[in-house]
Amino acid sequence: MMTDKKNISFEDALLELETIAEKLEKGQLSLEDSIKAYERGMELKKICSDRLAEAEAKIEYLAKGQNGQIVKETVKKKKGETSEKSEDDLF
């Protein structure tokens, strides 16, 4: 599935990457095909990383407080962690 980098969604890139990883793990590909799949996997990893970085930048922009400071804990909140800031403090 060779999809144009600009048109592939994060979800589609991740799904394709998972499929490639599964085939490589199961040894379902020839050496040549394994190398091609690995190269495609690296492209997909970069696409996913870029999309995540873009999303994080948008979230940080939207999460700026009234004083202009980024409220990073809303982006990097860990499971089970609660924020001391209320929703009103974010806007």
Side-chain angles (χ1 to χ4, degrees):
M1 180 191 315
M2 296 298 261
T3 308
D4 183 19
K5 180 178 177 178
K6 292 178 182 173
N7 294 329
I8 191 168
S9 70
F10 173 83
E11 293 79 9
D12 288 342
L14 187 58
L15 180 62
E16 186 179 346
L17 186 55
E18 289 171 349
T19 302
I20 289 170
E22 186 176 306
K23 287 180 181 178
L24 288 171
E25 287 173 1
K26 290 182 178 178
Q28 296 177 336
L29 303 172
S30 68
L31 179 59
E32 186 176 328
D33 288 341
S34 293
I35 292 169
K36 289 178 183 175
Y38 181 82
E39 289 173 347
R40 178 62 177 161
M42 294 304 291
E43 291 173 8
L44 292 164
K45 179 187 172 290
K46 178 154 178 33
I47 291 169
C48 289
S49 295
D50 291 349
R51 296 284 194 284
L52 287 173
E54 290 170 12
E56 184 176 65
K58 288 177 185 176
I59 291 169
E60 286 182 358
Y61 173 78
L62 294 171
K64 281 187 179 182
Q66 290 178 346
N67 58 5
Q69 292 182 339
I70 300 291
V71 183
K72 288 194 177 188
E73 62 268 21
T74 60
V75 176
K76 307 252 187 214
K77 191 186 300 183
K78 293 179 182 160
K79 190 175 181 181
E81 202 175 83
T82 57
S83 177
E84 292 179 19
K85 297 187 180 292
S86 71
E87 256 184 54
D88 295 334
D89 293 338
L90 298 177
F91 298 102

